[in-house]
Amino acid sequence: MTSTELTPESVPRTQGMPMLGLGTWENEDPDQCAESVLTALETGYRHIDTAQAYGNEGAVGDGIAAADVDRDEIFLATKVWISNLDYEDVLETTQESLDRLGTDYLDLLYVHWPSRTYEPGSTLEAFDELYEEGTIRNIGVSNFEPRHIDEAREHLDAPIFANQVETHPMLQQRELREYGREHDIEIVAYSPLARGDVFEIDVLSEIAEKHGVSEAQVSLAWLRENDVTAIPKATSEAHIQDNWESLTLELDEADLRQIDSIDRTRRKVDPGFAPW
């Protein structure tokens, strides 16, 4: 398959979620953010990820509104910030997110971190309520370790659909991926390009040269081969297109073994309130 043959329908999906999406973390300029969302949707992306903390839900909504794509074709996700996780705050701020995004439902709503005002009983009661009334179609968690997910599952009536965590060849998250397989929880990778560090790894550069592609495409293809959904941030048309073309890359067994054997840990997101 060539890049010109790629269509929204050719993007692999897992439980209805497109396995390549557009991340918008730190895409803070409203015009640029809206334009990048529009460009991604026009390219063929159908998975858009944002968060209350990013301060760009309004711009994301503007980009979606500008695109000639029906809302029901877009898998739209946002996250409730750690200061808004009390029961009433979840309900109130989720409605505010919906208003900014210009939609009446979300395909996926995450608990952004198990921190600050997060309390499993009251926080997840609100998520269950939003799920039951159809305001959100799936419940997600982000930056959760297995012990946090075990605890959350005890409080939720609805299933946990996804755990969004930093994942890339230098932070392979084997334990969380295995946990996800065991409990039917999708892994969604943020910072799947290690914030640019994938371009500095010799193994990835060698594989990229072998296939005539970028290191970014190699990282995204490796994630996909491991059943991980990636949401790389991109603002320029060139980077949005390059990430999109990763869908045409098929890594062979030797490639996968080489990447699996990368023996380093390079976590790029590590705030003081992180649970690890």
Side-chain angles (χ1 to χ4, degrees), residues 38-59:
L38 172 60
T39 299
L41 291 171
E42 289 181 338
T43 299
Y45 288 70
R46 292 296 181 265
H47 180 173
I48 306 295
D49 181 273
T50 183
Q52 293 174 353
Y54 300 172
N56 62 11
E57 288 175 321

Side-chain angles (χ1 to χ4, degrees), residues 127-144:
F127 273 70
D128 261 333
E129 185 174 319
L130 292 166
Y131 178 84
E132 290 166 7
E133 67 188 24
T135 301
I136 63 176
R137 297 189 172 175
N138 294 286
I139 293 174
V141 296
S142 184
N143 301 295
F144 276 45

